[in-house]
Amino acid sequence: MLNRRDLLRASVAAAAGLGLASCSSGGSGGKTASNELTFLNWDPIEQGSPLATVLDDFQKSGDTTLKVQPAPASDYDTKLLTIMSSGSVPDVIRINDDFVLGYSQQNTLLDLNPYIEKDGLKPESFFDHPFNFPVQQDGKHTAWAAGTQPNMVFYNVDAFKEAGVPLPPTTWTDEGWKWEDFLAAAQKLTIPDERFGVLTFDDTSSETVFTVNNGTDGIYSKDGKRFTLADPGSVEGIQWIADLSLKHKVQPPWSTIQGGEGNPNFALNLFTTGKLAMMTRNFGSAAYIRQNAKFTWDIAPVPGRLTHKTISTLTVWAIPAKAKNPDRGWELLKYFTSAEGAATLAKGDLIPANRSAAEVFEKPSGESPAHQGLVVAATENGVNENFSRNIQQARAIYRPQLDLIYTGQKSAADALGEVKERVEAALASGS
Amino acid sequence: MAAQVASRRTVVGWLFIGPVIAGVVAFQFVPVVVSVYASLTDWSGLSAPRFAGIANYLELFTKDPLFYLTLRNTAVFTLGSVVLSVGFGLVLALLGNEKLPGIGIFKAAFFAPVVTNSVAVGFVWFWLYQPENGLINGFLAQANIEGPTWLTSNSWAMIAVIIVAVWQGVGYPMLILLAGLQSIPDSLHEAARIDGASAWSRFWRVTLPLLTPSLFFLTIMQFITSFQIFGIIFVMTHGGPANATNVYIYQVYQSAFSFGRLGYAAAMGWILFVIVGLVTFLQWRLEKRWVFYGE
């Protein structure tokens, strides 16, 4: 018969046993098998998707076992920060290109230079922009861009033909495709209460595209210290895209776009249902449009003005400095940009970072978009937002001002001018 | 022998409450102490905290305009939501106190949103507020009224958020006040009726004074929870447009997890603690002036 003392002894022993068991379990913070590679991704990896395929192929090509740690995209940055703070980090992380600089400056990402040198990878084999983006001022190469998705103009070819509007250029040129030409096309394509000619300001990339092409550094100076969005050229660019709605009525009102924000693919739906004739969007949108548009569509360069560049959104991975298995982590990163890996990822409309693999985009497929090869030229002319460690603070100050500009409550000059000092103070803080 | 038994009982007692004490220390006491220290540091979460003294507090009070803006927005939200939810809660409690058929369903319907997740509530109302094809503007259009762009208008967004918070939370004051109403003896109403008091007079002179303890409890609780509004804002507006709905806790979240300033966010948390403490203290001090316990 179990008496009270025996029961207590048993309870203490059981508790101790549980404690020991939990210490030796293979949880995320525990010891991992030597051939296991953990990585954090911001979306579930769906069976059959290009990323799932490339991961399967990678595992088949060696003895590495992948352990994916998915996190919801909407809350990914919070989870990443928490995990990186905890010290128990995955071997490979997907990282928003916005944050590479900040994480690098805090020495939390591994320098990949020794691996790049050991494997003899040559910078000239890659597009300049994706290869050089992760290189920090001190020369450390702290992340790896698997590919890029440049911002393009997606347009409804049928609408252009019906309206008798000349089609945009099919090569990377702004000849006949300056802002004025873009606006003129949008005006002819707009049918009141039926179709808007263009949508550009819902995509934050416009803050860079329409300022860089007006001769400025974009949102921030190249050293990330000045708020160049408040410079005259940038102010003119932002006011110009606001006026597409406010003055020319060729773009949906800001309230409509904001109201639809919670609806997944709201803006893309406007395009695929024929309510928009043109939209600026990164090439990653091609898959959705390909599936849903019932008309002929194509892509064109963004319009130029003083220069002719486009923003290029990078797909970036990194190895945390405290990763337990960095060598295998590098093998995976390298595989992403190998001929096989890059070809697979390209099926998801990711322009591979290495030039040879990107050739697949130059071959006509017979389907929309007919001029898919333009994305390669766009990558050659791609720029990035000039980042700062305190990018999120700066955005939190200036982005609410855009609401005022896009709804016509303030001019771009007034709205951006009044927060210039605060943004620059935020950029300078902690640096 | 008796001493031995007592000693053994003491040990057993400690063994039983030990895990609870350990839990309180680990998950409440330690985080509180850590957050005090964190508020005095420059800490991104990625590198080691660097002691900064009261720099975070100074920055909040002297350099951060969003600190005052979010405090003001929180105050507007708190006043609006507390007054409306307690007011409507009282009306619903009075209706719910009537012995009518189906009254249970009525009470359940108003209480259901209280136990519904704020994120789900936010999503549903987000759709209802859609300017062009939302249900609310659809109804207004039937009456030839052009509805506002609820969540994207600087002047309407906070009102829209308050409406959702009141809709979601009104069941709680209803329940508390209903309990308060049911604790008032019928004999008091009966006596007033015999003395010729009208229905309004009975409510004003009998019901309301005897409900003041419940109202006091409610206002304290509602103030505290309203100061901490987050879920609805996070889902519906992200603090926009143009910071019109940017409230204090949302800014704490932004500071910690978007800006990587955990020390700064901790300082914000302590300031909120002090504010809530002061408001609650003030409410207790004013209690004697309006709360009637029936002595």
Side-chain angles (χ1 to χ4, degrees), chain B residues 207-276:
Chain B
T207 310
L208 201 57
L210 290 171
L211 268 185
T212 51
S214 305
L215 287 168
F216 174 61
F217 168 76
L218 265 180
T219 48
I220 287 184
M221 296 307 291
Q222 296 289 93
F223 261 97
I224 292 171
T225 51
S226 297
F227 269 117
Q228 297 172 42
I229 177 74
F230 177 77
I232 292 171
I233 301 288
F234 184 74
V235 172
M236 293 179 74
T237 66
H238 293 285
N243 284 319
T245 60
N246 194 355
V247 290
Y248 197 82
I249 289 289
Y250 185 71
Q251 196 59 26
V252 172
Y253 168 82
Q254 287 267 84
S255 296
F257 298 109
S258 298
F259 309 159
R261 301 191 69 192
L262 295 175
Y264 197 69
M268 290 185 80
W270 276 101
I271 289 171
L272 183 67
F273 173 76
V274 171
I275 292 170
V276 171

Side-chain angles (χ1 to χ4, degrees), chain A residues 5 8 75 78 81-82 84-85 103 106 108 255-256 258-263 392-393 396 400 403-404 409 422, chain B residues 8 12 15 44-47 65-66 126-127 130-132 149 152 154 241-243 253-254 256-261:
Chain A
R5 183 175 294 172
L8 277 172
D75 214 18
T78 307
L81 178 65
T82 312
M84 295 292 274
S85 315
Y103 276 91
Q106 295 177 82
T108 50
S255 58
T256 301
Q258 289 297 94
E261 206 183 32
N263 183 347
Q392 290 298 84
Q393 287 152 270
D403 287 333
L404 302 174
Q409 296 175 70
R422 279 174 51 211
Chain B
R8 198 185 304 147
V12 171
L15 277 174
S44 68
L46 295 172
S47 43
L66 282 179
F126 187 86
W127 290 108
Q130 287 296 300
E132 284 173 7
T149 56
T152 54
N154 303 19
N243 284 319
Y253 168 82
Q254 287 267 84
F257 298 109
S258 298
F259 309 159
R261 301 191 69 192

Side-chain angles (χ1 to χ4, degrees), chain A residues 144-419:
Chain A
W144 193 245
T148 175
Q149 289 173 319
N151 208 260
M152 311 295 298
V153 172
F154 287 79
Y155 67 97
N156 181 331
V157 176
D158 296 348
F160 268 71
K161 287 182 177 167
E162 279 164 25
V165 181
L167 294 177
T170 55
T171 58
W172 191 263
T173 175
D174 59 355
E175 194 177 335
W177 196 234
K178 302 282 191 189
W179 290 8
E180 294 72 22
D181 306 306
F182 185 62
L183 170 61
Q187 285 172 321
K188 287 179 190 159
L189 290 160
T190 298
I191 305 170
D193 298 326
E194 196 175 310
R195 184 175 68 205
F196 284 99
V198 68
L199 175 61
T200 185
F201 63 2
D202 72 311
D203 185 350
T204 53
S205 298
S206 297
E207 292 155 35
T208 299
V209 172
F210 287 89
T211 51
V212 167
N213 283 345
N214 208 28
T216 74
D217 280 352
I219 306 169
Y220 315 103
S221 56
K222 296 225 184 303
D223 60 9
K225 290 180 179 166
R226 280 189 56 239
F227 181 53
T228 48
L229 197 65
D231 286 358
S234 298
V235 162
E236 190 185 11
I238 295 295
Q239 190 63 58
W240 191 82
I241 57 176
D243 284 347
L244 291 174
S245 284
L246 301 170
K247 195 167 149 191
H248 305 295
K249 314 284 183 199
V250 297
Q251 179 170 241
W254 184 238
S255 58
T256 301
I257 297 302
Q258 289 297 94
E261 206 183 32
N263 183 347
N265 301 315
F266 175 75
L268 289 175
N269 273 327
L270 288 180
F271 181 72
T272 55
T273 54
K275 290 173 184 152
L276 280 179
M278 295 188 281
M279 69 188 306
T280 53
R281 191 78 22 175
N282 85 45
F283 190 65
S285 301
Y288 183 87
I289 297 172
R290 209 176 273 128
Q291 281 176 9
N292 294 284
K294 306 287 184 228
F295 50 80
T296 308
W297 59 278
D298 206 348
I299 54 172
V302 295
R305 199 175 223 190
L306 300 176
T307 57
H308 193 211
K309 299 285 182 189
T310 193
I311 191 166
S312 203
T313 306
L314 296 163
T315 298
V316 183
W317 299 83
I319 301 175
K322 291 179 183 169
K324 294 184 185 76
N325 223 337
D327 294 353
R328 283 178 192 270
W330 168 249
E331 291 303 316
L332 177 61
L333 297 196
K334 197 172 62 168
Y335 189 76
F336 283 151
T337 50
S338 68
E340 308 82 39
T344 307
L345 290 176
K347 289 177 186 158
D349 295 317
L350 183 72
I351 321 307
N354 55 342
R355 291 172 186 277
S356 58
E359 285 170 7
V360 66
F361 283 92
E362 289 170 340
K363 295 172 189 154
S365 66
E367 293 177 349
S368 290
H371 298 92
Q372 188 166 261
L374 262 174
V375 293
V376 178
T379 300
E380 297 276 20
N381 290 281
V383 295
N384 217 170
E385 196 176 316
N386 296 319
F387 292 122
S388 146
R389 175 178 166 175
N390 304 314
I391 207 87
Q392 290 298 84
Q393 287 152 270
R395 285 175 180 168
I397 297 168
Y398 89 78
R399 285 235 166 105
Q401 299 295 99
L402 297 179
D403 287 333
L404 302 174
I405 299 168
Y406 294 155
T407 50
Q409 296 175 70
K410 281 187 180 173
S411 70
D414 288 347
L416 296 170
E418 72 187 34
V419 294

